[in-house]
Amino acid sequence: MSTPQNPYTHGPLGAVFAKTALPIILVMGMNGLLAVADALFLGHYVGAAALGAVTLMFPLYMFITALATLVASGMSSILARHLGAGHINAAQRVFAGAHGLARLLGEAWIWRVAPFSEALLLLLTLAVLAQTARKHGRRRGLFFAR
């Protein structure tokens, strides 16, 4: 009886990369399609101003997603090594440390953005109101259509 070989450590490198990359590509592609569908519905039913506001926040969303991916990718690699070696206590420390790092990054982001969140929300609201007033051609609050 032969021992089974790990498909990720034996075999052609191209096939290993393909098996690993294809699910990731599929998920990222679906995520992109969902974003396009959301934009279509938002633009059609809410309006161009709302679509513009959401589009302005997209780079910020991508930055936050990149930070989460950074923590998750590093943790999964180190965690897999410790679990594969049978070092359960070290794996538990890595798992707890990654969650602590994610919490620290999240709290730092909140404290960095929180002082400006009310002003940012007010600015975006005024921009949407101005666009709506121009679109409908009538007076809305402080804004006049031209």
Side-chain angles (χ1 to χ4, degrees), residues 23 65 94 106:
T65 303
V94 167

Side-chain angles (χ1 to χ4, degrees), residues 48-128:
L51 181 59
V54 170
T55 302
L56 284 173
M57 292 298 116
F58 183 73
L60 183 65
Y61 167 74
M62 290 305 295
F63 177 72
I64 293 169
T65 303
L67 285 178
T69 303
L70 175 78
V71 172
S73 297
M75 187 257 325
S76 66
S77 174
I78 297 170
L79 185 68
R81 288 184 223 160
H82 285 304
L83 288 175
H87 303 140
I88 302 302
N89 289 335
Q92 289 173 340
R93 285 192 304 273
V94 167
F95 189 75
H99 282 78
L101 179 60
R103 181 177 176 177
L104 177 73
L105 287 172
E107 287 178 3
W109 181 255
I110 288 169
W111 285 108
R112 177 74 174 118
V113 173
F116 306 108
S117 62
E118 188 174 342
L120 181 62
L121 181 61
L122 180 62
L123 182 66
L124 289 174
T125 303
L126 290 175
V128 169

Side-chain angles (χ1 to χ4, degrees), residues 5-82:
Q5 292 184 341
N6 186 341
Y8 292 102
T9 58
H10 295 81
L13 193 55
V16 171
F17 282 155
K19 279 195 289 189
T20 305
L22 286 177
I24 296 169
I25 293 169
L26 178 69
V27 168
M28 290 180 72
M30 288 302 297
N31 190 19
L33 289 175
L34 288 174
V36 170
D38 288 344
L40 288 173
F41 281 110
L42 187 63
H44 183 70
Y45 292 110
V46 181
L51 181 59
V54 170
T55 302
L56 284 173
M57 292 298 116
F58 183 73
L60 183 65
Y61 167 74
M62 290 305 295
F63 177 72
I64 293 169
T65 303
L67 285 178
T69 303
L70 175 78
V71 172
S73 297
M75 187 257 325
S76 66
S77 174
I78 297 170
L79 185 68
R81 288 184 223 160
H82 285 304

Side-chain angles (χ1 to χ4, degrees), residues 125-126 128-134 136-145:
T125 303
L126 290 175
V128 169
L129 286 175
Q131 179 68 28
T132 303
R134 282 192 293 273
H136 293 291
R138 57 183 169 228
R139 186 175 174 197
R140 298 257 178 138
L142 299 174
F143 301 100
F144 296 89

